[in-house]
């Protein structure tokens, strides 16, 4: 199975996206469109990327009542996304409604739907104090992932450090899409817990999401190639 590297297009607008993609000379990528870009450019940016032949993970993390999520997902399904997500905290009914909407919108295609368990920016202390969830963080992640699994979702967004636990519980097919990836020599930026692409593979991530290590590199294409080779198990240099 070819493991995917998803490039986070964390840019403020379409021009920046085009400038970045120009480094890849027409190569088709798997890209992530998040809130920043989507809320600036609207659904058109997704349609544009899909029309250019790229696979799109639309990272909007929906969380609302089931009927609203159903309708919103139906709209997202029509955009041609390969994968999108919602918050497991919305509960099983919401996740099932989201999946139904996405499939209806995609009419026949079956985009992947994954859930956010706890954001990696959330510490155990904050979760217990702010959210009044009085359980260990790992148990909460596992419980939310089980809800996603039982709701028919394809996987979760998680830290690489949680991937092994989730692989043991739900198998290799259940997606463990993990951000927080850095090469050894990179800056951590605002990420707290980072792992290398090679460690992500060993821990059981199924897709990695990489932003700044590629988008801010002097030579983005070279950074992309190096990371993908480490991720897919081919050592270089
Ligand atoms: O630049 P960097 O590689 O840190 O980008 C990681 C991407 O993954 C960003 O788009 C960020 O919003 C996203 N992300 C994350 N942690 C999560 C969920 C998404 O870093 N828990």
């Amino acid at each position: 199975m070819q493991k995917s590297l998803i490039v986070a297009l964390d840019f403020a607008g379409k021009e920046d996206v085009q400038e970045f993609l120009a480094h890849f000379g027409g190569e088709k990528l798997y890209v992530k469109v998040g809130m920043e870009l989507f809320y600036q450019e609207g659904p058109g940016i997704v349609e544009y990327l899909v029309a250019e032949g790229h696979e799109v993970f639309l990272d909007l993390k929906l969380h609302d009542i089931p009927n609203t999520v159903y309708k919103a997902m139906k709209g997202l399904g029509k955009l041609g996304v390969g994968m999108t997500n919602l918050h497991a905290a919305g509960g099983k009914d919401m996740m099932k409604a989201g999946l139904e909407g996405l499939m209806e919108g995609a009419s026949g295609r079956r985009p992947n739907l994954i859930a956010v368990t706890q954001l990696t920016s959330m510490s155990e202390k904050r979760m217990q104090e702010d959210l009044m969830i009085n359980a260990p963080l790992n148990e909460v992640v596992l419980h939310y992932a089980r809800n996603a699994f039982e709701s028919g979702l394809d996987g979760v967004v998680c830290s690489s450090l949680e991937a092994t636990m989730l692989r043991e519980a739900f198998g290799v097919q259940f997606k463990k899409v993990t951000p927080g990836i850095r090469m050894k020599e990179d800056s951590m930026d605002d990420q707290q817990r980072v792992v290398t692409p090679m460690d992500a593979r060993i821990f059981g991530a199924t897709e990695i999401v990489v932003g700044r290590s590629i988008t801010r590199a002097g030579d983005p294409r070279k950074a992309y190639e190096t990371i993908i080779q480490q991720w897919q198990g081919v050592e270089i240099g």
Side-chain angles (χ1 to χ4, degrees):
M1 183 179 71
Q2 185 82 335
K3 286 168 167 282
S4 298
L5 189 170
I6 304 172
V7 183
L9 297 179
D10 293 326
F11 296 111
K14 187 174 175 180
E15 273 181 23
D16 294 343
V17 169
Q18 288 173 319
E19 200 177 304
F20 171 74
L21 291 174
H23 290 283
F24 291 84
E27 187 176 341
K28 308 303 175 204
L29 303 178
Y30 196 161
V31 295
K32 178 172 93 70
V33 173
M35 291 188 196
E36 180 188 4
L37 185 58
F38 190 82
Y39 291 142
Q40 298 301 313
E41 293 287 343
I45 189 71
V46 176
E47 289 167 322
Y48 165 76
L49 290 164
V50 170
E52 291 285 304
H54 302 293
E55 181 90 356
V56 177
F57 166 27
L58 186 55
D59 179 21
L60 296 182
K61 304 185 178 74
L62 274 63
H63 188 173
D64 208 316
I65 58 171
N67 185 52
T68 300
V69 170
Y70 164 79
K71 288 183 177 159
M73 278 292 174
K74 202 166 164 179
L76 300 186
K78 290 180 186 153
L79 300 178
V81 296
M83 181 157 72
T84 188
N85 61 2
L86 39 65
H87 270 282
K92 286 171 147 184
D93 286 347
M94 189 203 79
M95 287 193 270
K96 287 179 194 163
L99 181 58
E100 201 183 318
L102 182 65
M103 282 170 22
E104 272 184 43
S107 46
R109 277 190 324 112
R110 171 65 169 86
N112 291 126
L113 182 61
I114 59 175
V116 176
T117 54
Q118 285 291 332
L119 292 169
T120 47
S121 53
M122 180 64 74
S123 68
E124 184 162 281
K125 186 166 182 284
R126 287 260 72 84
M127 183 190 73
Q128 293 179 347
E129 286 179 10
D130 296 1
L131 308 184
M132 228 167 98
I133 299 176
N134 292 311
L137 184 63
N138 265 1
E139 272 179 35
V140 177
V141 168
L142 188 61
H143 181 67
Y144 282 22
R146 177 163 294 111
N147 286 346
F149 183 78
E150 289 173 2
S151 303
L153 269 63
D154 303 288
V156 291
V157 186
C158 66
S159 142
S160 294
L161 303 163
E162 294 155 356
T164 311
M165 166 183 85
L166 297 172
R167 182 177 55 191
E168 278 163 19
F170 309 112
V172 289
Q173 295 298 330
F174 193 65
K175 289 182 183 299
K176 290 151 283 278
V177 179
T178 69
I181 304 294
R182 293 289 182 278
M183 301 299 275
K184 278 200 193 74
E185 61 278 13
D186 288 346
S187 142
M188 282 175 58
D189 301 305
D190 57 347
Q191 298 281 15
Q192 296 300 319
R193 297 183 302 159
V194 301
V195 306
T196 63
M198 204 188 312
D199 283 342
R201 166 161 52 86
I202 293 164
F203 291 148
T206 56
E207 280 89 2
I208 52 173
V209 178
V210 185
R212 287 162 287 188
S213 291
I214 294 173
T215 56
R216 284 221 228 111
D219 184 343
R221 179 151 198 176
K222 185 155 169 272
Y224 175 83
E225 298 293 342
T226 307
I227 293 176
I228 210 163
Q229 281 169 337
Q230 272 208 17
W231 163 237
Q232 294 180 349
V234 187
E235 293 315 317
I236 52 159

